[in-house]
């Protein structure tokens, strides 16, 4: 092709300067065209890799959004366990906070259920139902970073617990929940521990970890000189913004 272009120029009667400029222009255009083809080829090669990269990035963000708990539901009677709830109101973690709680957590199949389904299944479990039938004290504590979500969950927990005489539901802030976990206690046990600690400064977190909520409440009643049923298991209490549920 270069020979044909050269021959064609030789047949043209024009000033040599014009011919030279024309040759330079054609050479530059050919070089630009080659670069465009090279870049287009590289893009076609990179396009699948870029698509995979953005897919992995998107999948990672979706996974993070789904599996990150934004609230927790602490259920304490003697088994003490907590459910981690994501922003879509699904259970994404189940953790036992004492021996009975770990055993119960291992036996449950509530992952990815809605929190209402999970709590109803837990309260219907034979071990929990037996304790409730024996006048066991049940606390359900809700904690999280979203006031709106926690308020919605607390309302549903009050409905779930409404049929149980000694049920007590309340909310707590995320800072208080963090302190509970630092002590190795569930949120519900931590609140009860704080009440007991005010009456018995020598009590240790390890001491209450495997006590039932009924035993803790009875001890609080003994130390305070009040009747056990006056300790707020019916939801009559009202400190730290708690909301009670009773019969």
């Amino acid at each position: 092709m270069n020979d044909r272009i050269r021959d064609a120029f030789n047949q043209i009667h024009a000033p040599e300067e014009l011919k030279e400029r024309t040759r330079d222009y054609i050479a530059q255009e050919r070089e630009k065209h080659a670069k465009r083809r090279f870049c287009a080829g590289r893009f076609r090669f990179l396009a699948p890799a870029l698509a995979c990269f953005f897919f992995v990035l998107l999948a990672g963000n979706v996974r993070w959004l789904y599996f990150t708990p934004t609230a927790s539901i602490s259920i304490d009677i003697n088994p003490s366990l907590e459910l981690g709830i994501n922003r879509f109101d699904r259970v994404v973690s189940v953790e036992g906070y004492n021996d009975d709680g770990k055993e119960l957590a291992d036996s449950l199949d509530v992952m990815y259920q809605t929190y209402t389904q999970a709590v109803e299944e837990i309260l219907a479990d034979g071990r929990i139902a037996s304790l409730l039938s024996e006048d066991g004290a049940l606390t359900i504590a809700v904690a999280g970073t979203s006031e709106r979500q926690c308020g919605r969950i607390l309302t549903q927990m009050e409905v779930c617990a409404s049929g149980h005489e000694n049920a007590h539901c309340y909310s707590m802030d995320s800072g208080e929940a963090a302190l509970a976990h630092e002590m190795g206690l569930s949120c519900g046990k931590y609140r009860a521990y704080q009440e007991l600690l005010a009456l018995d400064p020598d009590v240790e977190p390890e001491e209450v970890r495997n006590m039932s909520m009924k035993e803790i409440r009875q001890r609080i009643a003994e130390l305070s000189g009040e009747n056990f049923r006056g300790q707020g298991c019916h939801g009559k209490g009202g400190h730290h913004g708690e909301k009670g549920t009773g019969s």
Side-chain angles (χ1 to χ4, degrees):
M1 179 175 286
N2 290 335
D3 292 338
R4 288 200 301 271
I5 293 173
R6 189 164 46 250
D7 292 340
F9 269 100
N10 290 333
Q11 295 175 18
I12 296 174
H13 298 287
E16 286 299 323
E17 182 182 356
L18 177 60
K19 289 183 180 181
E20 189 62 32
R21 288 167 56 188
T22 304
R23 290 193 194 96
D24 291 343
Y25 174 78
I26 293 174
Q28 291 173 6
E29 288 300 312
R30 289 182 61 194
E31 185 177 353
K32 290 179 182 179
H33 180 67
K35 287 182 178 180
R36 283 196 294 268
R37 289 182 60 187
F38 176 73
C39 291
R42 287 184 64 186
F43 180 77
R44 284 196 296 272
F45 174 75
L46 290 174
L50 289 172
C52 289
F53 171 76
F54 285 116
F55 176 78
V56 170
L57 186 65
L58 178 62
N61 286 333
V62 170
R63 181 180 175 82
W64 179 84
L65 286 172
Y66 191 89
F67 288 100
T68 300
T70 53
S72 65
I73 300 174
S74 173
I75 301 172
D76 296 274
I77 184 163
N78 181 27
S80 291
L81 59 82
E82 285 190 7
L83 306 177
I85 312 301
N86 68 10
R87 67 193 68 242
F88 308 109
D89 294 338
R90 296 279 174 170
V91 177
V92 291
S93 66
V94 182
E95 184 172 0
Y97 273 85
N98 60 6
D99 293 340
D100 290 338
K102 291 174 183 176
E103 183 180 341
L104 178 60
D106 290 341
S107 69
L108 294 172
D109 186 20
V110 296
M111 286 288 286
Y112 315 125
Q113 291 184 1
T114 64
Y115 63 80
T116 50
Q117 291 173 320
V119 171
E120 287 170 358
E121 184 172 325
I122 291 169
L123 296 184
D125 181 87
R127 288 158 290 188
I128 303 298
S130 176
L131 290 167
L132 289 172
S133 68
E134 296 169 2
D135 206 27
L138 168 70
T139 65
I140 301 178
V142 178
T145 56
S146 169
E147 184 176 344
R148 176 180 294 183
Q149 184 183 31
C150 288
R152 185 173 65 248
I153 293 175
L154 180 61
T155 298
Q156 289 299 319
M157 292 304 96
E158 290 172 341
V159 173
C160 290
S162 61
H164 305 289
E165 184 178 3
N166 287 335
H168 190 198
C169 298
Y170 55 84
S171 62
M172 59 198 305
D173 61 45
S174 56
E176 193 175 3
L179 289 174
H181 296 160
E182 286 179 9
M183 292 184 178
L185 298 175
S186 64
C187 292
K189 282 283 179 73
Y190 175 79
R191 178 65 65 83
Y193 168 70
Q194 292 299 314
E195 292 182 45
L196 183 56
L197 185 64
L199 299 168
D200 180 4
D202 295 325
V203 68
E204 296 291 336
E206 294 78 11
E207 190 176 347
V208 303
R209 186 174 297 133
N210 286 307
M211 292 173 66
S212 71
M213 293 303 295
K214 183 176 181 179
E215 289 170 340
I216 298 171
R217 288 293 174 187
Q218 285 174 331
R219 188 166 173 184
I220 290 172
E222 291 169 2
L223 292 172
S224 63
E226 296 181 5
N227 183 276
F228 167 59
R229 289 186 177 277
Q231 288 297 313
C233 291
H234 296 284
K236 301 295 185 182
H239 69 287
H240 293 293
E242 58 185 62
K243 294 179 68 177
T245 297
S247 56

